[in-house]
Amino acid sequence: MELVTAHPSGGYILEELRVGMAAEKIIHVTEQRIQLFAEASDDFNPVHLDEAYAAKTAYRGRIAHGLLSASFGSAVVGTILPGAGAIYLSQTLGFHLPVRIGDDVVVRISVVSVDPDTARVELACEGFVDGKMIMDGMALVRVPRRRRPAKD
């Protein structure tokens, strides 16, 4: 695994991507993130928003929306690897452990395959809290073959 940072141009193009490249980002889960995600998604399930309700569930307290945690992968795909210009085509997800307010989610995206004919890249997507996998999946994204010229 070769950890990379964001490309100086904002995004890697197809010819720069190699199997084994990876990027990570740490995202802190806050009350505000959960509230904003509930509003953006229209998912007001009380297990995410109501401590009294959530305390009576198997989770023994509030948990973040699974898709909020999954969206952290989009932050890496859209800003680091491949970065600007990458377009999601599909995503699979598996959720393994709940995420709670105060958790730091480490999201890792790794290049699994590069198809030069279709300009598609397969990415392994993983999320961890305290070293434990909380989610994983595979994404298929289309990436640019060349950079846009700078605007004057």
Side-chain angles (χ1 to χ4, degrees):
M1 177 174 67
E2 172 197 355
L3 273 180
V4 301
T5 56
H7 194 280
S9 74
Y12 291 86
I13 59 172
L14 183 70
E15 293 76 13
E16 296 169 326
L17 295 170
R18 296 175 308 286
V19 171
M21 291 174 80
E24 292 183 350
K25 184 176 182 93
I26 300 170
I27 299 178
H28 187 67
V29 178
T30 64
E31 169 72 30
Q32 183 182 23
R33 282 187 194 274
I34 291 172
Q35 289 290 338
L36 290 171
F37 189 84
E39 291 174 30
S41 66
D42 210 31
D43 178 354
F44 295 97
N45 184 331
V47 77
H48 306 306
L49 303 169
D50 181 336
E51 186 59 45
Y53 175 90
K56 298 175 188 168
T57 70
Y59 298 107
R60 304 282 187 245
R62 289 173 59 195
I63 60 172
H65 301 75
L67 289 179
L68 171 60
S69 299
S71 73
F72 300 157
S74 180
V76 177
V77 170
T79 66
I80 304 173
L81 183 69
I87 302 295
Y88 260 97
L89 300 175
S90 66
Q91 172 79 55
T92 63
L93 290 168
F95 298 103
H96 308 292
L97 294 171
V99 174
R100 301 179 187 278
I101 295 170
D103 283 347
D104 288 317
V105 177
V106 178
V107 178
R108 181 182 308 133
I109 302 295
S110 307
V111 177
V112 174
S113 69
V114 179
D115 185 337
D117 294 330
T118 63
R120 293 179 179 195
V121 178
E122 188 177 25
L123 304 169
C125 308
E126 300 171 310
F128 303 89
V129 171
D130 295 328
K132 296 178 186 141
M133 183 176 284
I134 54 108
M135 66 178 177
D136 65 346
M138 297 297 291
L140 186 64
V141 299
R142 184 177 311 130
V143 296
R145 293 179 188 272
R146 64 187 69 81
R147 288 193 179 78
R148 291 181 160 213
K151 291 183 179 178
D152 294 330

